[in-house]
Amino acid sequence: MSSENHGTVKGDTALVMSPTGSVTQGSPVSPSTSKPMPELPDELVQAGWSKCWSKRENRPYWFNRFTNQSMWEMPVLGQHDDIIEIGMPVTPTTPTVPISPITPRAKPWNSTTGTEDKPGQPASALYRTNIIYWDLDIQTNAVIRERAPANHLPPHPEIELQRARLTTKLRQHYQELCYQREGIEPPRESFNRWLLERKVLDKGPDPLLPSDCDPIISRSMFREVMNDIPIRLSRIKYKEEARKLLFKYAEAAKKMIDSRNATPDSRKVVKWNAEDTMNWLRRDHSASKEDYMDRLEHLRKQCGPHVTAVAKDSVEGICTKIYHISVEYVRRIRQAHQTLLKDCNITDPEAAEVQDRLVYCYPVRLALPSPNQPRVELHFENDIACLRYKGEMVKVNRGYFAKLELLYRYSCIDDPRFEKFLSRIWCLVKRYQVMFGAGVNEGMGLQGALPVPVFEVLNKQFGVSFECFASPLNSYFKQFCSAFPDTDGFFGSRGPFLNFSPASGSFEANPPFCEELKDAMVTHFEELLEKSSEPLSFIIFIPEWRDPLTPALNRMETSAFRRHHMSVPAFEHEYRSGSQHICKKEEMYYKAVHGTAVIFLQNDAGFTKWEPTPERIQELLAAYQVSQRALGSPVPSSTSSAPTMPSPASAGMSGNKDSTAAKTAPEQSASLDTSPASQENSSTSSPLENTTPPSEAASL
């Protein structure tokens, strides 16, 4: 049976969704049927197939609008494994107490025709690619108390475009302030971590930019900028590099102390140590790389406190200025958004009545209806879906575009004809694009995820059906928490995790590498476990940083709810890339350059139901080996066939040190800071040989 690429038949397609929901065409979506075509069976129509006429070949062919497949012969439903039938979520049968919320049946989004699902007919089928990084058939076991619709303003491309431009402008202000005041470039990813840290405290109305934080000065931004003063330290491989870096640091420290308002004692200490270092460099030409590194560490300990003292006011000024600019930008965005809603005659609705009952968790619902959406253009370039609004294009792989369609079908209740689907995808992808930043490989770590085999074992062995930190782009389950309830709720998000209070369920947590967020996460875990008598379990994946021990890891290891703790060594496991929705298949996974601690926090009922028995733990560890074999990575040879698992008595007492070269995530830098917070950028004990590990999860 021969086939023909649909784009070859009629050229590139270009779909345009109008505000009314009709579809216009830049170039035809499918060939026009100049001859009357006999009706197809209903099941084929619902699977996306239609009969078309090829002018070039002068004969009919069959085209699937979901898969972009073209066939000369009539397709047979179910003949190929890559065509599956999609049904609506089935209400879980356990637990028995909660009431499952009823979601109206979603109708398919039709890009070429006006057909709809009819009662009694199966929902539309979608194309399943060879490799799937999610399982949207798994039902939730997370139970919450019914909650009122959220009062977030509904997303709109015009407002999202304004937010994107102002956020980019704020990043530029940050770069200029760092250069003008301290002569440095902003620390890599520091703005992204600032957004995460601020959102832990922020009570303002904007989903992305902070505007109501106490304190105003960000601890995250302050320490990261301060860590690059007087110069940024780079990763060292060779002896000559270490020698040059030592000289530059001594010279910069001396120059800085001379140009700032330092005390006489500070001037004396810094000048003496800097000159002593320079004299040593002139005398000793036979020193090793390790000698230079030790000398640099000694110099930083001697000069660091004095350099920090003279730079403190300036760095605090940078943090304060950026925050106040953000407040002003939030005011502008809010005002424009409210004006748009007012022009559409959308006003605050009456407060919805909420019953005090337990229900299975359901996606965020917005109290305000969405305004009419502007036109968003869609076209496909090979395997990439491209969505354009006013010249601003966002891209997503075709498979992930299909995933977003499924999530929308399951979760959205106000758009049965998919009239707002394209504009909402544009807002969603644009939001995460802006959050990541425009740098090469920037922000990937904020969206990383566990390997698929690990998720499969978590679900099978521990009943996990929910991710605490994810997004519609990187989630494995269709139920998850994410940073942006206004854009993500239409695609299944339950909102930010710190605002999510389940009464029971089994959860996976893989938080971003932000110390303030991780600390708030632990506090939230313990509060939930303390007040619930229903089965409740959290399995946390967190970097095993012990030099020194990070506060969040220490708190979980000493928690009264800790049931088990194990370690997966560095370079012996992978994470899925933060750019998985757009990257190439060979770039989907990267090696973890640090050890990962896996900690089970459970109440008594949760421990009884999902006990981390030795057999279950072995299955989880073996999943990492399956992931490596699937990627073609060599499995480390050792006496054990799986990564090491400490005993309960000694679990986590020794950290894993990076000692070998391997393929790692793109983000790489170094730091000599040995404070707990600095380990967000460092995972090794050798200060100048560190590789910055990106965070491996999404949102708050």
Side-chain angles (χ1 to χ4, degrees):
M1 176 169 58
S2 62
S3 63
E4 177 181 5
N5 181 277
H6 187 62
T8 304
V9 176
K10 292 297 293 181
D12 294 336
T13 61
L15 311 186
V16 179
M17 181 66 74
S18 69
T20 61
S22 61
V23 178
T24 59
Q25 301 177 11
S27 51
V29 174
S30 60
S32 60
T33 54
S34 57
K35 298 183 179 181
M37 294 291 138
E39 293 294 330
L40 289 173
D42 287 340
E43 59 269 20
L44 289 179
V45 173
Q46 296 301 323
W49 292 99
S50 59
K51 193 173 183 180
C52 306
W53 185 262
S54 173
K55 293 182 178 179
R56 187 184 67 187
E57 300 290 336
N58 196 32
R59 60 169 169 159
Y61 69 97
W62 284 262
F63 170 69
N64 191 301
R65 64 179 179 275
F66 296 132
T67 69
N68 259 17
Q69 280 182 298
S70 298
M71 304 178 66
W72 292 119
E73 299 178 11
M74 179 181 291
V76 178
L77 191 65
Q79 182 177 7
H80 306 288
D81 292 336
D82 55 4
I83 300 178
I84 60 170
E85 181 177 331
I86 304 299
M88 292 305 296
V90 180
T91 303
T93 57
T94 58
T96 58
V97 177
I99 302 172
S100 179
I102 299 176
T103 302
R105 181 183 179 87
K107 299 180 181 179
W109 169 58
N110 296 306
S111 59
T112 58
T113 68
T115 60
E116 300 175 1
D117 279 349
K118 298 178 181 179
Q121 290 184 345
S124 300
L126 282 179
Y127 179 68
R128 173 166 292 196
T129 55
N130 293 331
I131 301 178
I132 295 295
Y133 301 99
W134 53 83
D135 188 344
L136 306 185
D137 295 329
I138 296 174
Q139 305 303 319
T140 186
N141 56 22
V143 175
I144 61 173
R145 292 206 168 271
E146 190 170 3
R147 55 185 181 180
N151 58 0
H152 306 288
L153 301 184
H156 189 279
E158 189 63 33
I159 302 302
E160 204 58 44
L161 185 59
Q162 181 183 10
R163 179 180 288 111
R165 290 171 177 172
L166 290 177
T167 303
T168 300
K169 194 173 180 180
L170 186 60
R171 287 179 183 272
Q172 293 171 350
H173 281 305
Y174 179 46
Q175 184 175 17
E176 291 168 359
L177 286 171
C178 287
Y179 184 77
Q180 292 170 0
R181 298 194 180 191
E182 299 300 334
I184 63 171
E185 291 292 323
R188 183 174 175 83
E189 300 278 5
S190 60
F191 187 89
N192 299 335
R193 281 187 286 268
W194 175 74
L195 290 174
L196 288 173
E197 183 257 4
R198 292 283 84 185
K199 276 304 172 183
V200 175
L201 306 172
D202 186 42
K203 299 178 182 177
D206 194 80
L208 179 64
L209 296 176
S211 61
D212 186 7
C213 299
D214 184 22
I216 290 175
I217 297 173
S218 164
R219 291 192 302 167
S220 171
M221 181 177 285
F222 178 85
R223 68 171 175 259
E224 291 197 44
V225 173
M226 192 66 74
N227 192 48
D228 279 4
I229 295 174
I231 64 169
R232 174 172 297 176
L233 301 173
S234 58
R235 187 161 58 101
I236 298 299
K237 292 183 178 180
Y238 307 108
K239 182 179 74 171
E240 284 305 313
E241 292 177 341
R243 178 184 175 87
K244 290 179 181 179
L245 191 64
L246 176 59
F247 179 82
K248 287 181 179 179
Y249 186 92
E251 186 178 47
K254 183 180 178 182
K255 181 179 179 180
M256 183 174 181
I257 212 73
D258 284 337
S259 62
R260 304 290 180 96
N261 187 22
T263 64
D265 287 344
S266 292
R267 292 181 187 275
K268 180 179 179 180
V269 171
V270 173
K271 283 186 176 182
W272 187 89
N273 280 280
E275 290 174 358
D276 182 62
T277 298
M278 291 179 181
N279 291 333
W280 178 78
L281 287 170
R282 295 187 189 101
R283 292 194 312 266
D284 195 339
H285 297 282
S286 61
S288 65
K289 171 188 169 184
E290 288 71 24
D291 293 334
Y292 291 128
M293 291 169 60
D294 291 342
R295 189 83 184 198
L296 178 56
E297 179 67 16
H298 173 76
L299 184 62
R300 291 186 77 247
K301 288 181 178 179
Q302 295 298 315
C303 299
H306 304 283
V307 170
T308 299
V310 297
K312 181 175 181 293
D313 291 343
S314 175
V315 177
E316 288 182 346
I318 294 174
C319 300
T320 303
K321 182 71 172 177
I322 292 300
Y323 174 76
H324 285 308
I325 296 175
S326 177
V327 172
E328 170 59 20
Y329 287 173
V330 169
R331 186 193 65 78
R332 292 188 202 176
I333 296 169
R334 184 80 173 177
Q335 185 177 26
H337 209 157
Q338 290 175 332
T339 300
L340 184 148
L341 295 177
K342 184 178 179 181
D343 292 342
C344 296
N345 296 319
I346 296 177
T347 58
D348 292 337
E350 297 181 0
E353 294 184 4
V354 177
Q355 300 182 39
D356 185 16
R357 59 176 181 172
L358 292 174
V359 296
Y360 284 96
C361 72
Y362 52 92
V364 170
R365 310 297 188 203
L366 301 185
L368 287 172
S370 294
N372 292 332
Q373 299 294 301
R375 187 175 72 176
V376 172
E377 298 176 358
L378 168 67
H379 72 275
F380 291 93
E381 297 177 358
N382 297 322
D383 290 333
I384 304 297
C386 305
L387 297 96
R388 185 189 300 273
Y389 174 71
K390 287 190 174 181
E392 295 281 337
M393 182 184 292
V394 299
K395 298 182 179 182
V396 62
N397 286 340
R398 190 187 294 268
Y400 282 79
F401 183 84
K403 176 195 178 185
L404 291 175
E405 182 175 347
L406 278 177
L407 288 173
Y408 195 79
R409 187 188 307 278
Y410 286 143
S411 306
C412 181
I413 63 173
D414 70 339
D415 187 24
R417 295 181 180 272
F418 278 59
E419 296 170 350
K420 302 169 183 175
F421 176 67
L422 293 181
S423 63
R424 285 173 172 173
I425 282 192
W426 189 92
C427 291
L428 167 75
V429 180
K430 189 66 175 178
R431 177 74 60 81
Y432 282 97
Q433 184 186 81
V434 170
M435 179 186 180
F436 290 170
V440 178
N441 298 320
E442 185 177 359
M444 287 186 181
L446 300 177
Q447 278 286 94
L450 301 176
V452 169
V454 175
F455 271 119
E456 291 174 341
V457 171
L458 288 175
N459 173 251
K460 179 181 177 182
Q461 299 295 333
F462 301 100
V464 173
S465 65
F466 194 107
E467 295 162 79
C468 297
F469 301 91
S471 77
L473 297 172
N474 78 339
S475 65
Y476 177 80
F477 305 108
K478 65 173 177 281
Q479 44 270 340
F480 55 89
C481 281
S482 68
F484 307 123
D486 59 327
T487 56
D488 300 359
F490 301 110
F491 300 90
S493 173
R494 273 59 173 170
F497 173 70
L498 297 181
N499 297 333
F500 183 73
S501 299
S504 68
S506 184
F507 301 82
E508 175 267 351
N510 184 22
F513 292 177
C514 170
E515 201 57 45
E516 291 77 13
L517 174 58
K518 289 188 288 186
D519 202 49
M521 172 196 72
V522 177
T523 299
H524 193 49
F525 282 155
E526 294 191 327
E527 289 175 351
L528 294 173
L529 291 165
E530 180 70 36
K531 67 182 182 182
S532 177
S533 59
E534 297 298 319
L536 192 57
S537 172
F538 298 98
I539 305 176
I540 304 99
F541 296 76
I542 193 171
E544 193 163 28
W545 291 329
R546 299 185 177 279
D547 190 17
L549 183 65
T550 57
L553 181 57
N554 181 54
R555 288 183 60 192
M556 286 189 286
E557 288 181 340
T558 58
S559 173
F561 298 100
R562 183 179 75 89
R563 304 294 181 168
H564 190 79
H565 175 201
M566 67 185 194
S567 300
V568 186
F571 297 107
E572 295 186 16
H573 61 297
E574 296 88 7
Y575 284 93
R576 270 186 291 144
S577 169
S579 62
Q580 60 183 272
H581 62 283
I582 196 63
C583 73
K584 298 177 182 178
K585 178 182 175 182
E586 57 269 20
E587 298 172 350
M588 180 64 71
Y589 283 87
Y590 62 85
K591 287 282 188 179
V593 299
H594 53 79
T596 295
V598 185
I599 301 174
F600 291 73
L601 299 182
Q602 301 170 324
N603 61 9
D604 291 339
F607 178 71
T608 300
K609 189 170 185 178
W610 300 297
E611 179 183 356
T613 62
E615 294 78 15
R616 288 173 170 174
I617 294 298
Q618 191 61 34
E619 286 285 331
L620 179 58
L621 291 170
Y624 278 107
Q625 301 291 6
V626 171
S627 173
Q628 290 191 84
R629 285 194 292 269
L631 294 170
S633 304
V635 178
S637 58
S638 64
T639 56
S640 172
S641 61
T644 58
M645 179 181 68
S647 64
S650 62
M653 296 307 294
S654 60
N656 296 299
K657 305 301 180 182
D658 302 348
S659 57
T660 59
K663 178 183 177 183
T664 63
E667 180 188 351
Q668 293 182 341
S669 63
S671 171
L672 281 173
D673 191 355
T674 56
S675 64
S678 72
Q679 296 200 42
E680 293 167 26
N681 298 321
S682 172
S683 63
T684 67
S685 60
S686 181
L688 288 173
E689 296 178 328
N690 295 338
T691 302
T692 302
S695 2
E696 290 139 359
S699 64
L700 294 180

